[in-house]
Amino acid sequence: HGLSLLALDKYDAALRRFDAVKIDELADRVQWYKTLTYLKKGDKVKSEEALKNIAQSNSEFKEQAQKLIDSMK
């Protein structure tokens, strides 16, 4: 389970699990958790890009993404 791997700081394995999810209804959540994984992994470029994509979308995580972007400035 990707969330369990994320909690265990196994970032690359978590990303592989998230990438394996192919259920459209979970796409927003998968993208959000992938973004959190990039942040925890310290991948600034990927996390900023992913946050911008979420903030500009209709995602349920749009507001949280914008708050993170603002806090990174």
Side-chain angles (χ1 to χ4, degrees):
H1 193 275
L3 290 177
S4 299
L5 292 166
L6 175 58
L8 294 170
D9 297 335
K10 296 184 178 188
Y11 306 128
D12 292 329
L15 288 169
R16 285 192 297 275
R17 289 289 180 135
F18 294 138
D19 284 338
V21 175
K22 304 296 182 201
I23 301 170
D24 289 340
E25 293 83 17
L26 299 177
D28 285 350
R29 290 186 183 275
V30 168
Q31 186 58 42
W32 177 247
Y33 290 121
K34 281 179 66 174
T35 302
L36 295 180
T37 304
Y38 293 140
L39 285 167
K40 288 193 75 161
K41 190 175 176 179
D43 191 332
K44 186 175 180 176
V45 173
K46 284 187 179 180
S47 60
E48 286 179 354
E49 180 180 327
L51 285 169
K52 287 178 187 175
N53 287 338
I54 293 170
Q56 295 172 356
S57 72
N58 290 325
S59 170
E60 64 184 285
F61 299 100
K62 180 179 184 167
E63 289 181 24
Q64 290 111 310
Q66 188 59 55
K67 286 179 184 177
L68 280 173
I69 291 169
D70 294 342
S71 73
M72 296 170 80
K73 293 181 180 176

